[in-house]
Amino acid sequence: MVYPEDIKNHIAQGMVCTHLQVDGDGRHFQALVVSAEFAGLSRVQRHQRVYAVLGAQMRDELVHAFSMTTLTPEEWQVKNG
Amino acid sequence: MDIQEVIKEQVTTHPVVLYMKGTPQFPQCGFSATAAQILKVCGVKPFSVNILEDAAMRQGIKDFANWPTIPQLYIRGQFVGGCDIMKEMYQSGELQKLLEGLAE
């Protein structure tokens, strides 16, 4: 069983985030990751960055589904403007 | 043939390839269903690969794009993304642009 908090801690330890939110039921998760590191990266590269941080956490038998939104602080501000 | 070579051949032979759980007719996961539905709405019939039928493929496709989740979409040999990215690109119109000329 993986808790949303575990995933959140993993991401927080691997990269600098200005906003980080992870929800889930133990098998299905949704994450909102806001980080300046995403600037200049494509969507695929942003997701790959988060997946790289999560590493073995993403194993099939642990996590069935992982949905994420990846934004830079500027994009996040526009979205919440 | 090595599984990585099989995948390489699939994504270069077919203009649109969707690796998914199940088939477009009978998807076995909500995210795969969404991905297949988006392509359908775009009028594109992908070459689809049911990764549940082949354990080597199931792991191989994750290594191929350094991407641990299914579905995965490839257009003209390029990895485009998973379900979230497909949704975003469809909503912004980018996906339709990438698929131009590939609709049936």
Side-chain angles (χ1 to χ4, degrees):
Chain A
M1 173 86 174
V2 180
Y3 294 94
E5 204 58 29
D6 299 335
I7 303 244
K8 188 177 172 178
N9 289 340
H10 241 85
I11 297 174
Q13 278 165 24
M15 56 188 295
V16 179
C17 302
T18 52
H19 188 91
L20 182 57
Q21 191 183 328
V22 181
D23 300 303
D25 61 6
R27 296 272 290 148
H28 309 76
F29 300 91
Q30 305 90 43
L32 168 65
V33 188
V34 181
S35 171
E37 283 188 35
F38 293 144
L41 298 185
S42 70
R43 286 191 191 87
V44 167
Q45 289 168 330
R46 291 176 182 196
H47 287 218
Q48 276 170 333
R49 175 79 182 95
V50 179
Y51 284 142
V53 166
L54 285 172
Q57 293 276 317
M58 285 303 300
R59 281 197 320 259
D60 240 14
E61 60 273 25
L62 291 177
V63 173
H64 174 75
F66 190 77
S67 173
M68 65 174 134
T69 304
T70 50
L71 301 170
T72 62
E74 291 75 21
E75 291 164 350
W76 169 240
Q77 214 163 20
V78 169
K79 221 175 168 169
N80 285 272
Chain B
M1 199 163 32
D2 176 69
I3 194 77
Q4 296 300 316
E5 284 170 37
V6 172
I7 295 168
K8 183 139 207 219
E9 189 173 296
Q10 286 173 337
V11 301
T12 48
T13 307
H14 306 279
V16 183
V17 185
L18 182 66
Y19 293 88
M20 64 183 291
K21 291 180 177 172
T23 64
Q25 291 73 35
F26 297 102
Q28 295 190 40
C29 159
F31 294 90
S32 287
T34 301
Q37 187 60 30
I38 288 173
L39 291 177
K40 194 176 172 190
V41 171
C42 291
V44 173
K45 201 171 172 213
F47 176 79
S48 73
V49 179
N50 180 1
I51 58 100
L52 295 178
E53 285 179 346
D54 184 343
M57 178 62 82
R58 188 171 184 164
Q59 184 54 48
I61 193 62
K62 296 179 183 184
D63 299 333
F64 185 78
N66 188 24
W67 192 265
T69 56
I70 311 292
Q72 292 186 16
L73 175 69
Y74 293 78
I75 300 177
R76 298 187 177 93
Q78 293 292 315
F79 174 56
V80 174
C83 181
D84 293 334
I85 289 179
M86 284 179 72
K87 260 197 278 191
E88 278 180 39
M89 289 179 73
Y90 175 72
Q91 279 157 4
S92 70
E94 287 166 81
L95 186 64
Q96 292 88 322
K97 217 174 241 172
L98 262 184
L99 290 168
E100 236 164 61
L102 298 175
E104 299 221 310

